[in-house]
Amino acid sequence: MDFIDGLFSRKSIRSYTGEMISDKDLRTILKAANASPVAKAKYDTLHLTVISNPDLLNKIDKLTAEYLGSPKAHPLYGAPLFIIVSFKENNGMVDNVNYSDAAIVAHNMALAAMTLNIGTCLIWGAIRAVNECPEILAELNLPEGFKPSCAIILGATEDQYSVRDIDDTRISQNTIA
């Protein structure tokens, strides 16, 4: 699949078999994270937390469902792997660069997963829930000063990626010449 077809195939997968991805594929996805463009090449301001522990995944899933007001939901969709991208706050200050860098890292991982035919979905609600739960934050064992920003789930899926017809007017635009 060429890159443009990959972009037009990329979608959120919300159905997982529960099967873990291979160590080789995980290393490739983590390498894609490290290939991300980061403002001023300050890679030391980012941190990845790779979670495959079923107990912690269940805690985060339940916490998020309650936080979102749907206690019977499963917002991690049964994926066996959850990768959180955190950034280091600068003396308590956060700006769009922190969030943008983290989002680019997460999307690079999602693109890599798609090319490997691994299910993936960007996850935001769980991060809001985790950031409000000191007990879960402590279990993440983050370096001092780091704050979770976004995440992806990963796992084997029976869903398929295929090129879709994309409406190029979904996002409004204007041109200033």
Side-chain angles (χ1 to χ4, degrees):
M1 172 180 316
D2 75 15
F3 186 71
I4 296 298
D5 283 349
L7 288 174
F8 295 160
S9 300
R10 166 80 184 91
K11 64 179 180 178
S12 296
I13 302 288
R14 294 182 175 91
S15 174
Y16 296 87
T17 65
E19 181 183 340
M20 181 59 77
I21 66 173
S22 72
D23 288 341
K24 179 184 176 190
D25 286 345
L26 177 57
R27 283 191 306 273
T28 299
I29 290 165
L30 294 174
K31 189 171 185 174
N34 283 279
S36 301
V38 171
K40 297 184 180 180
K42 291 186 175 183
Y43 292 93
D44 61 335
T45 64
L46 295 166
H47 180 80
L48 301 174
T49 304
V50 181
I51 303 169
S52 61
N53 178 293
D55 291 335
L56 184 53
L57 289 171
N58 285 333
K59 284 181 192 177
I60 294 170
D61 193 57
K62 183 177 179 176
L63 171 75
T64 304
E66 290 173 2
Y67 179 85
L68 296 174
S70 300
K72 294 183 181 184
H74 293 284
L76 298 185
Y77 305 104
L81 191 58
F82 185 53
I83 302 177
I84 298 174
V85 184
S86 300
F87 61 76
K88 186 172 188 175
E89 294 180 325
N90 182 13
N91 297 321
M93 295 182 63
V94 176
D95 62 29
N96 68 321
V97 172
N98 301 113
Y99 291 107
S100 296
D101 284 345
I104 290 167
V105 168
H107 198 247
N108 254 30
M109 289 190 290
L111 288 171
M114 184 267 312
T115 64
L116 296 168
N117 288 312
I118 293 169
T120 187
C121 185
L122 297 164
I123 300 293
W124 303 98
I127 297 305
R128 289 194 314 263
V130 164
N131 275 321
E132 293 187 19
C133 183
E135 297 83 17
I136 299 286
L137 278 172
E139 287 192 57
L140 298 180
N141 197 29
L142 293 171
E144 187 174 340
F146 280 79
K147 176 183 178 176
S149 174
C150 57
I152 65 168
I153 51 175
L154 298 158
T157 184
E158 293 178 2
D159 206 340
Q160 297 291 315
Y161 295 102
S162 58
V163 177
R164 299 171 291 144
D165 185 31
I166 305 295
D167 175 2
D168 61 0
T169 63
R170 295 194 303 184
I171 300 173
S172 69
Q173 57 189 334
N174 68 313
T175 302
I176 303 171

